[in-house]
Amino acid sequence: MAKVIVTVAPTGGMASKAQNPNLPTQPEEIAESVHKSWKEGAAIAALHARRPDDEATCNDGIYRRINGLIRERCDIILNNSTGGGSSGDMLVPRPDGLFESSFEERLKGCEAGAEMATFDGMTFADVHGGREILVVTTPSRCELLAKRMQERGIKPEWEVFGPQHILQDVTRLIEKGYDKPPYYINMVLGADKGFQGAMPYSHDILAAMIRMLPPQSIFCVSGIGPAQLPATTQAILLGGHVRVGLEDNNYYARGQLATNEQLVARTVRIIKELNHEPASPAEAREILGLKAA
C-alpha cells in the first residue's frame, strides 16, 4: 500500500470567477477552500495570490496573509507559486505589442515563508485573454531563482510542461546542487492550447516523461481540463502523486462546475479504490524531506 500525496491547486493565475463562481481568489476564500480540501485528504496547497480586484500577483504581503490564514486552520504544506499568472501585476507591456511576465514579481513568491515554491525553469509563450505573454526564465534567471529558494530554505517543486523542461534546466540545476533528494517534479500535461511548448496528455507522453526524470526523483502529475481525471489516475497507477483543483480544471463532469474539495474527494476515493492511501501532511513532509511542522 503506497502513500499518495494529493496537492490541491485552488486558484491558479488564469481562471476567473466568471468561469466558475466557486473559484477562491481572496485570502479568506482561499484559506477556507484549502481547509475544506485538507479535510478531504489534500496534503499540499499549491497557492497563487490575487489582488483585491482578482487580478494575478505574487505580492508577498498577500501571500503572507493567505499562508497565515491557512496555517491557523490546518497543517497542510504551503507551496507558493513563482509563476504568478496572466494578468495584473504579472504583465509588463513591451514595445512590440507583446507582454512579458515580470520576473521581479515572480521572485516575491519566495518571500512569504512557504515550505515549497513552484519553479518554472523554462522560457515559453503564454497565450491568454487575447494576449501573447512571454515568460522568460533564461539560464541565469533560473540560477537566481534557485539560489533564492536555497537561501530561504524553500524546497522547489520543479514544474515541467514537456520533456525538454526535464532534460534542460531542471536536470542542470539539480546536478549543481540546488535541491536535495528526493526531487519533486510536477508534470503538467494538457496545457498545450495555452502554452507554446507544452505537451498534451496521453498515456505514452506521460510514461516517456517519467523515464526521463533524474535519479532520486518522485513525480506529481497535473492534468489540465478534461485531462485531469485520466492523467492523475494514470499517475497513481504508475507510482506517482497528483495535483487537482480549480487552477487546472473547472468541471467535475461535463457541464457541472466543480469545487476544489469535490475534486480532492474524488481523487482520494480513486486512491483508496486502488488500494493506496492519501498521505497526511506529516507523511508528505517525511516523503519530501521537509521539516516537521
Side-chain angles (χ1 to χ4, degrees):
M1 181 187 298
K3 292 288 183 176
V4 179
I5 299 171
V6 178
T7 295
V8 61
T11 305
M14 301 175 72
S16 70
K17 285 183 179 291
Q19 295 170 311
N20 186 343
N22 299 319
L23 183 79
T25 57
Q26 298 307 302
E28 287 281 356
E29 295 176 331
I30 294 169
E32 188 57 33
S33 182
V34 167
H35 185 224
K36 290 177 180 177
S37 298
W38 168 79
K39 286 182 176 179
E40 295 292 349
I44 300 175
L47 301 165
H48 281 254
R50 297 290 184 96
R51 304 186 313 199
D53 64 359
D54 284 356
E55 296 280 287
T57 186
C58 282
N59 181 286
D60 51 311
I62 295 176
Y63 264 137
R64 285 193 189 95
R65 176 69 175 153
I66 295 168
N67 292 347
L69 289 169
I70 293 171
R71 189 54 74 235
E72 289 173 3
R73 290 165 166 82
C74 62
D75 65 341
I76 200 167
I77 296 169
L78 301 173
N79 177 357
N80 289 168
S81 173
T82 65
S86 305
S87 63
D89 294 340
M90 307 311 304
L91 297 185
V92 179
R94 290 165 47 108
D96 57 9
L98 304 177
F99 290 82
E100 189 166 329
S101 179
S102 170
F103 184 69
E104 290 304 314
E105 190 71 19
R106 290 173 61 192
L107 288 172
K108 295 178 184 177
C110 299
E111 305 303 325
E115 301 162 83
M116 300 180 71
T118 58
F119 192 113
D120 296 282
M122 72 286 291
T123 295
F124 58 92
D126 170 9
V127 181
H128 179 73
R131 300 185 178 109
E132 292 184 329
I133 305 161
L134 299 180
V135 183
V136 181
T137 320
T138 60
S140 61
R141 284 185 170 185
C142 284
E143 202 95 7
L144 176 60
L145 184 55
K147 287 178 180 177
R148 185 70 56 91
M149 290 188 186
Q150 192 174 58
E151 290 166 357
R152 306 257 185 308
I154 295 170
K155 185 170 184 63
E157 180 209 79
W158 304 97
E159 191 167 74
V160 300
F161 294 81
Q164 70 276 20
H165 303 152
I166 298 171
L167 298 172
Q168 293 178 341
D169 284 286
V170 168
T171 295
R172 178 179 68 84
L173 293 165
I174 284 173
E175 289 177 347
K176 289 190 73 171
Y178 285 111
D179 191 12
K180 296 179 180 178
Y183 313 116
Y184 195 61
I185 300 179
N186 176 34
M187 294 180 281
V188 182
L189 295 175
D192 48 300
K193 291 180 175 63
F195 292 170
Q196 188 179 35
M199 297 293 286
Y201 165 71
S202 77
H203 179 282
D204 290 344
I205 288 171
L206 176 54
M209 287 175 64
I210 291 170
R211 290 195 293 270
M212 297 176 188
L213 295 174
Q216 297 181 280
S217 295
I218 57 179
F219 69 90
C220 174
V221 174
S222 306
I224 304 302
Q228 185 171 89
L229 184 57
T232 54
T233 302
Q234 185 188 350
I236 298 164
L237 291 169
L238 293 176
H241 307 281
V242 295
R243 184 178 91 179
V244 295
L246 299 184
E247 172 174 353
D248 300 332
N249 173 32
N250 273 314
Y251 291 93
Y252 189 84
R254 184 180 294 275
Q256 181 184 345
L257 292 171
T259 65
N260 285 303
E261 57 268 24
Q262 284 177 326
L263 295 172
V264 171
R266 177 170 65 185
T267 301
V268 168
R269 287 197 300 273
I270 293 169
I271 289 169
K272 291 180 176 179
E273 288 290 344
L274 294 172
N275 293 319
H276 300 313
E277 287 291 331
S280 68
E283 290 167 335
R285 286 185 176 92
E286 185 174 358
I287 291 167
L288 295 169
L290 298 174
K291 295 179 181 178

